[in-house]
Amino acid sequence: MKDNPKNKDKIYYTILIIVAIICIIITIGIIFFNKKNKNKEEDLEIAYTELIKKIDNQEVEKIEMTVGSTSTKVKLKNIEKEKQAIVPSTQAFIELIQEQVKNGNEIELIQNPTNIGVRIVQTLFSFFPTIMILILFILIFKMQGLGDKGKVYDTDKSDNTNTTFKDVAGLDEEKNELIEIVDFLKEPKKFHEMGAKIPKGILLCGKPGTGKTLIAKAIAGEANVPFISMSGSEFIEMFAGLGASRVRKLFEKAKKIAPCIIFIDEIDAIGARRTNASGAESENNQTLNQLLVEMDGFETNETVIVLAATNRPEMLDKALLRPGRFDRQVTIASPDAKGREEILKIHAKDKKLSEKISLKDVANDTAGFTGAELANVLNEAAIIATIKKHKKIQMEDLEDAVKKVTVGLEKHSRVISDKDKRLTAYHEAGHAIVSKFLETQFDVKEVSIIPRGLAGGYTMYKTNEDKYYISKTEMEEKLVALLGGRAAEKIALNDISTGASNDIEVATQIAKDMVTVYGMSDDIGPIHLKQKDPYERQVFGENIDDAIGAEVKRLIDIAYKKAQDIILSNMDKLQAVAERLLEKEIISAEEFETFFS
Ligand code: ADP
Ligand code: ZN
């Protein structure tokens, strides 16, 4: 969402930068110009010592000076043209000439009054460097956010707080958990009289795009109080001490306009565990310390509620989570099928949809999508429909939009060599065939060798089931499916390619999580070992990392072996599917099934 204050700031910076650039150009111009003039006049110039000599030798006819200026015109007796001289101390020079005149040296001395125009210009130019430095300072301070940068969405001024719970689809449990905050902001007195303690800080945990900012705004909107927001990442590039002062200012402002909501996005950027490090890290420590001080400082009766968002609550400094700080956590999960349908409905309101469209079907096709991604799907669908000159958004537009958001734009235009195509065909056919023989894996929905985004091809699965738990067998088989592409390349073409790098990365990650997060390794047992410091891990044995590594490798080895076995016993099918892919580039679910009947 765009907020005006930020845009205004941008214009402001742009103007400042332009002024600074103009100043620099003018300065350089002046220096250059002066130099050039000087060069021209070189033979017309006369050094001070030489001038004194010439005066002594009675060679000087006339001297013309301007009060307040060191530049002096000199007319020599034997030369027609006037020369210029720089006279360091004018008063002493005048006395010297008067002395000479007294002694019979015939010099005409003319003293002109100051030329005001010239003086003003000179003075201005002498201030130039100062002005430039000032501008630079203002720029730096503004950029570092010394200025008041916390954004306030005032209820009566901004449309942002028009957001209410109605705009937040799904998330019913979360809304229920947060409704008491709304009541409290509306009628704090009632709660205080009862002696009730209301949390000061609430941590909203969840993936980006799941609606954390949205729900925070909705709370402000429901309670009709201002919403001040700031992002943790804004602090990272700050000068020493500024992060802390920004935090202080943010809370100062909040107290002034209370009751209100402070929203800190990406709090992990400042709230990550404190270290003893120096530099940027210790700067973060300072900011974090200030945040802790502020959280402790304000009283519950000040009616300021701090909401903070993060995707990595486990990374946060424990001190942040103590009572009186962010002692309550609300997890915002990716929406389930029903939630997705509701989110789609909300974002479909301002779109022209064909009556035939079933948002329910779209919801079923988009398991794992966040609210932001779903909003994006509808927007993409509207764009596609416009380009295709449809009167209303059609189901096919929506389907294309889903694909586009999933794997990036189809790139028909990319020229691919036959060899690459062949490799991709066998790779994707490998995934599809291996999955077919794995109980727990989803059915194939589409196999294609049309490149999308970075991938040369893709195999899509029917993931229309929302799952909360995944079994060990399922994870093991997922590894097999992922390695099916590589296994097919190796066996059918006796060569392997870089095309499997992403599969390998994902598989390795899953295997690691199985061992260190889900406790699925018999060898290591149900112990959480991920993201623990090495010394913390050592509690579980000197060579625990070796043991983890061995387990991960074992899981991958077994999966790769199984993938190869499946390919070897289905070589005819692999070949058939790959050849069909080379011919048609894309195979639907129905067509894929015909290879097995
Ligand atoms: P986060 O703060 O978790 O990264 P946002 O709140 O910024 O996510 O969500 C981005 C956008 O996605 C919202 O502005 C909204 O358009 C859409 N969105 C996300 N979740 C929902 C939801 N539950 N209902 C309606 N729209 C949503
Ligand atoms: Zn692959």
Side-chain angles (χ1 to χ4, degrees):
M1 261 172 218
K2 296 277 160 294
D3 32 85
N4 288 332
K6 202 154 193 175
N7 280 346
K8 244 181 167 170
D9 275 2
K10 262 200 188 136
I11 294 169
Y12 188 53
Y13 292 149
T14 319
I15 292 174
L16 272 177
I17 289 171
I18 290 172
V19 170
I21 290 173
I22 291 175
C23 285
I24 292 169
I25 291 173
I26 290 178
T27 313
I28 292 173
I30 288 170
I31 292 169
F32 195 70
F33 184 74
N34 275 349
K35 216 171 183 172
K36 232 180 165 179
N37 267 358
K38 272 216 180 100
N39 287 344
K40 247 199 238 157
E41 288 169 2
E42 217 153 72
D43 49 335
L44 288 175
E45 246 175 40
I46 182 164
Y48 185 56
T49 43
E50 205 179 325
L51 176 62
I52 303 288
K53 242 191 238 160
K54 291 212 160 59
I55 292 172
D56 257 352
N57 296 343
Q58 310 216 341
E59 286 175 44
V60 178
E61 187 183 311
K62 189 171 89 179
I63 288 178
E64 193 177 338
M65 315 180 68
T66 307
V67 175
S69 167
T70 51
S71 174
T72 303
K73 282 183 196 158
V74 179
K75 169 84 180 70
L76 299 178
K77 280 178 184 161
N78 48 356
I79 298 170
E80 196 53 43
K81 253 200 167 141
E82 278 187 349
K83 292 205 176 206
Q84 288 275 344
I86 301 292
V87 180
S89 168
T90 338
Q91 194 48 43
F93 183 64
I94 291 170
E95 276 165 21
L96 184 131
I97 295 172
Q98 283 166 346
E99 185 87 21
Q100 287 277 337
V101 173
K102 248 192 233 161
N103 294 343
N105 193 344
E106 282 171 21
I107 302 173
E108 191 186 345
L109 178 64
I110 301 169
Q111 282 177 277
N112 292 327
T114 318
N115 181 337
I116 297 213
V118 170
R119 287 289 287 168
I120 289 174
V121 172
Q122 273 176 349
T123 317
L124 275 184
F125 279 155
S126 63
F127 276 128
F128 232 89
T130 325
I131 292 171
M132 271 187 51
I133 288 169
L134 267 177
I135 288 174
L136 268 177
F137 259 101
I138 293 172
L139 262 177
I140 288 169
F141 276 129
K142 277 281 165 192
M143 282 184 167
Q144 294 306 325
L146 250 199
D148 234 352
K149 237 175 108 191
K151 295 154 235 160
V152 181
Y153 298 120
D154 215 46
T155 20
D156 33 313
K157 276 181 210 142
S158 157
D159 51 18
N160 285 292
T161 35
N162 285 345
T163 312
T164 63
F165 279 157
K166 263 200 249 106
D167 302 302
V168 186
L171 303 179
D172 292 332
E173 275 172 50
E174 291 82 353
K175 280 192 238 173
N176 267 339
E177 264 186 80
L178 294 166
I179 195 97
E180 66 171 67
I181 304 294
V182 175
D183 292 339
F184 169 68
L185 286 167
K186 271 186 186 157
E187 289 180 284
K189 245 193 176 162
K190 220 170 69 182
F191 285 82
H192 291 314
E193 278 165 12
M194 197 63 77
K197 254 212 182 114
I198 291 292
K200 286 184 198 173
I202 299 168
L203 202 58
L204 303 174
C205 311
K207 276 207 296 191
T210 44
K212 298 182 292 296
T213 314
L214 187 72
I215 209 165
K217 275 186 190 158
I219 293 172
E222 288 281 339
N224 204 28
V225 301
F227 176 83
I228 319 181
S229 80
M230 140 176 295
S231 172
S233 60
E234 284 174 38
F235 291 104
I236 291 186
E237 67 266 24
M238 287 221 202
F239 279 161
L242 284 184
S245 99
R246 279 279 299 282
V247 170
R248 205 178 50 242
K249 283 202 171 141
L250 182 74
F251 278 80
E252 250 168 42
K253 183 195 261 169
K255 282 180 210 167
K256 241 180 258 164
I257 60 171
C260 72
I261 281 190
I262 295 181
F263 179 69
I264 305 176
D265 205 358
E266 300 173 76
I267 194 171
D268 35 291
I270 38 172
R273 278 193 202 115
R274 276 172 289 189
T275 53
N276 338 335
S278 54
E281 297 257 333
S282 80
E283 165 58 13
N284 271 356
N285 291 352
Q286 274 187 41
T287 313
L288 173 58
N289 287 339
Q290 187 64 40
L291 182 60
L292 295 175
V293 167
E294 296 294 344
M295 291 293 291
D296 293 343
F298 74 88
E299 300 298 320
T300 10
N301 59 14
E302 268 168 321
T303 344
V304 176
I305 302 245
V306 190
L307 294 165
T310 179
N311 189 25
R312 294 173 293 178
E314 75 284 348
M315 290 271 295
L316 294 179
D317 198 294
K318 295 268 177 336
L320 263 177
L321 309 176
R322 290 219 186 97
R325 296 167 182 168
F326 294 97
D327 48 6
R328 204 193 280 189
Q329 285 194 21
V330 176
T331 303
I332 315 263
S334 290
D336 58 10
K338 188 167 149 279
R340 290 198 299 273
E341 192 182 338
E342 281 169 28
I343 293 173
L344 285 167
K345 265 188 203 152
I346 283 191
H347 291 278
K349 262 187 209 150
D350 55 348
K351 308 259 182 334
K352 264 205 236 161
L353 290 186
S354 146
E355 295 75 29
K356 283 183 223 143
I357 281 182
S358 153
L359 288 180
K360 192 169 177 162
D361 287 351
V362 180
N364 280 335
D365 267 351
T366 46
F369 277 43
T370 64
E373 282 158 350
L374 291 169
N376 195 14
V377 163
L378 279 167
N379 194 46
E380 288 291 348
I383 292 172
I384 292 170
T386 314
I387 291 173
K388 292 194 176 163
K389 300 205 167 68
H390 293 161
K391 281 210 181 75
K392 286 178 175 173
I393 298 172
Q394 304 295 315
M395 197 61 188
E396 55 172 281
D397 302 330
L398 265 169
E399 278 171 359
D400 283 352
V402 170
K403 279 189 203 166
K404 192 170 169 186
V405 173
T406 324
V407 261
L409 200 59
E410 287 198 21
K411 283 193 186 161
H412 281 287
S413 54
R414 201 161 89 180
V415 186
I416 325 154
S417 73
D418 282 350
K419 189 166 167 275
D420 281 356
K421 243 186 186 168
R422 205 171 170 73
L423 205 113
T424 311
Y426 275 90
H427 178 104
E428 297 305 334
H431 280 305
I433 290 188
V434 167
S435 320
K436 174 78 190 164
F437 291 95
L438 298 168
E439 284 278 296
T440 65
Q441 296 306 293
F442 294 120
D443 286 345
V444 170
K445 188 179 171 191
E446 195 172 284
V447 195
S448 164
I449 55 167
I450 300 168
R452 284 237 184 115
L454 286 175
Y458 59 89
T459 304
M460 275 213 289
Y461 300 96
K462 294 180 183 168
T463 54
N464 53 3
E465 190 186 333
D466 288 307
K467 289 204 145 175
Y468 291 102
Y469 302 109
I470 306 176
S471 71
K472 182 178 174 186
T473 315
E474 209 175 329
M475 286 180 110
E476 283 167 347
E477 293 197 348
K478 176 90 194 164
L479 297 181
V480 180
L482 279 165
L483 296 173
R486 162 59 62 91
E489 287 177 38
K490 169 109 181 59
I491 293 168
L493 306 173
N494 195 22
D495 196 5
I496 50 179
S497 76
T498 54
S501 68
N502 184 254
D503 298 333
I504 292 172
E505 190 184 332
V506 175
T508 310
Q509 194 54 50
I510 291 175
K512 259 195 215 161
D513 283 351
M514 287 173 74
V515 177
T516 61
V517 179
Y518 304 112
M520 287 174 176
S521 153
D522 293 335
D523 242 32
I524 289 178
I527 299 171
H528 183 93
L529 291 160
K530 201 182 181 180
Q531 274 165 352
K532 283 216 162 85
D533 296 327
Y535 72 87
E536 243 182 296
R537 276 209 292 261
Q538 270 186 16
V539 176
F540 304 102
E542 194 69 39
N543 301 322
I544 188 75
D545 281 333
D546 294 347
I548 293 172
E551 275 298 277
V552 171
K553 180 157 168 25
R554 197 178 62 87
L555 284 167
I556 297 281
D557 284 349
I558 292 174
Y560 190 41
K561 172 89 181 31
K562 183 153 184 201
Q564 285 176 303
D565 288 347
I566 296 176
I567 295 284
L568 278 172
S569 39
N570 293 282
M571 277 305 278
D572 53 331
K573 297 202 171 61
L574 178 78
Q575 236 144 35
V577 172
E579 292 307 323
R580 182 75 59 90
L581 269 175
L582 281 170
E583 182 190 323
K584 292 183 62 190
E585 295 202 337
I586 194 157
I587 298 180
S588 69
E590 295 79 47
E591 193 170 359
F592 181 70
E593 285 307 315
T594 60
F595 290 95
F596 299 92
S597 51

